[in-house]
Amino acid sequence: MKIAVYPGSFDPCTNGHLDIITRAARVFDKLIVAVLVNSHKTPAFTIEERMEFLRRVTRNISNIEIDSFTGLLADYTMQKNADVIIKGLRAVSDFEYEFQMALTNTKLNPSVETLFMTTSTANMYLSSSVVREVATYNGDLSGMVPDEIRDDIYKKIRRG
Ligand code: PNS
């Protein structure tokens, strides 16, 4: 059984994340979406909100687990017996940082491979921070986030 971990902040999850999740779940027996509980950053959404959004938008995918982790991703992949870390690449500018992370994670857990999936062209510009910025000023989020979570994103971060 091949297990993949797709890690991230998912603050909040976007259509770009959902695209990678859907495609990765087709390739692996089990996909664990692992939400980072980050003690250095204050996220816009709580860990419970971020995980609930992910559960809601992936309810039709059977081989998926939504989980959270703290500390090093390499340690988490060891605990979970994961074979692969999935990362989405949007642009060349993502590459340098992701390359460094992949090498670090392999150094710390030599039994895990990092596989990069290219984002769909429709989602190339998307990021959680773009979504938060648009929502703050009541901009149109359609096409950026799954419909089921759009209103909850506005409710939490829209100004005024
Ligand atoms: O969605 P993000 O914020 O780009 O995700 C980044 C994430 C969670 C994948 C990355 O920050 C991470 O793996 N953090 C855990 C700490 C760690 O293992 N860092 C790499 C070695 S220094």
Side-chain angles (χ1 to χ4, degrees):
M1 167 140 146
K2 291 286 174 202
I3 301 175
V5 168
Y6 179 42
S9 302
F10 304 102
D11 188 34
C13 70
T14 68
N15 279 349
H17 294 130
L18 185 56
D19 169 51
I20 299 285
I21 289 171
T22 307
R23 287 158 54 207
R26 283 193 212 120
V27 177
F28 294 94
D29 299 304
K30 180 174 175 184
L31 178 69
I32 303 170
V33 180
V35 186
L36 176 69
V37 182
N38 192 338
S39 53
H40 306 301
K41 275 202 275 184
T42 309
F45 295 90
T46 65
I47 185 70
E48 291 79 18
E49 287 168 330
R50 288 179 279 153
M51 291 175 74
E52 196 277 320
F53 285 171
L54 282 161
R55 279 198 200 95
R56 221 188 291 173
V57 304
T58 61
R59 67 194 177 286
N60 295 326
I61 303 173
S62 55
N63 59 334
I64 202 165
E65 177 185 326
I66 310 297
D67 195 17
S68 62
F69 76 106
T70 53
L72 291 174
L73 178 61
D75 292 340
Y76 177 77
T77 56
M78 267 186 227
Q79 282 165 30
K80 289 287 181 179
N81 273 321
D83 304 281
V84 164
I85 296 168
I86 295 286
K87 289 296 191 86
L89 280 186
R90 285 165 302 194
V92 179
S93 53
D94 285 343
F95 185 76
E96 202 169 330
Y97 174 71
E98 291 298 345
F99 189 56
Q100 186 183 26
M101 288 295 116
L103 292 174
T104 307
N105 287 325
T106 302
K107 164 82 174 66
L108 296 173
N109 177 7
S111 64
V112 77
E113 290 286 346
T114 298
L115 294 187
F116 294 105
M117 292 183 75
T118 51
T119 190
S120 305
T121 46
N123 298 319
M124 276 182 78
Y125 69 99
L126 260 182
S127 67
S128 295
S129 57
V130 161
V131 165
R132 291 195 302 271
E133 183 79 357
V134 171
T136 302
Y137 300 104
N138 203 17
D140 184 3
L141 285 180
S142 49
M144 296 189 189
V145 297
D147 292 344
E148 313 91 293
I149 63 171
R150 191 170 50 202
D151 287 348
D152 287 326
I153 293 172
Y154 281 129
K155 255 184 236 156
K156 178 95 190 233
I157 53 180
R158 181 160 53 188
R159 282 202 187 145

